[in-house]
Amino acid sequence: SKIEILQPIIANIILQQLSYQELIVFVVALLLLLVSAIVSASEIAFFSIDLKSRHELEQSKKNSDKSIARLLESPQKLLATILITNSFFNVAVILLLTYLSNTVFEYDGSPLWAFIFQAIFITFIVLIFSEITPKLFASEKPVATATLAYPLIQILQSLFAPLVSILVKSTTIVNKKLA
């Protein structure tokens, strides 16, 4: 049977006890995954706000609404911030979870299982929890999601300002050449 074929492969995978350092790495990976999820959701949220809602945000007296409207005034800068942040955080999550996989599991004689876990399972986790699910949620409630995400996006826009500037300028040059 199929289970009998897999038994010798799975038997060579040994789970090690988690140290405090590895637990901290795991918690950091989860926090980065959460930030990535919020940023990912914000991409759909900000760019799904219709003209009527955008006008309401601009006319609102609430600081959060005005902040969202200000972010939407520079869509290239907003998108660059989101893409840089998401790329950075997703790569960091993958690196941390791969490190954990290598320290927590011993894949003696099972390089295929190491590959399956590290390349496929970790990628699946990142896609589900930091890309697909947050974007589905944001598409249903764009203004509410933008309201949740805007403070983080403002901080990230300041933090990544040099990279955002380079990305926006370079894409502007490329767009002019292609036009």
Side-chain angles (χ1 to χ4, degrees), residues 49-59 69 72-73:
I49 295 174
D50 59 31
L51 288 174
K52 180 181 176 236
S53 298
R54 187 170 174 175
H55 183 71
E56 289 171 1
L57 291 168
E58 291 166 349
Q59 301 304 312
L72 287 168
E73 289 172 3

Side-chain angles (χ1 to χ4, degrees), residues 63-77:
N63 285 337
S64 60
D65 292 350
K66 289 183 184 294
S67 294
I68 293 166
R70 269 194 306 280
L71 286 169
L72 287 168
E73 289 172 3
S74 302
Q76 287 182 319
K77 188 176 169 184

Side-chain angles (χ1 to χ4, degrees), residues 32-33 36-37 40 85-95 126 130-131:
L32 292 175
L33 198 62
S36 179
S40 206
T85 302
N86 233 9
S87 297
F88 176 76
F89 281 63
N90 285 344
V91 167
V93 167
I94 289 167
L95 290 173
V126 170
S130 85
E131 293 293 330

Side-chain angles (χ1 to χ4, degrees), residues 8 10 13 24 34 47 68-69 90-92 107-109 111 119 127 133 138 149-150 156 170 178-179:
I10 296 171
I13 301 173
I24 290 169
L34 176 64
F47 294 104
I68 293 166
N90 285 344
V91 167
Y107 297 103
D108 292 341
L127 282 174
T133 305
Y150 89 87
L156 294 167
S170 64
L178 293 176

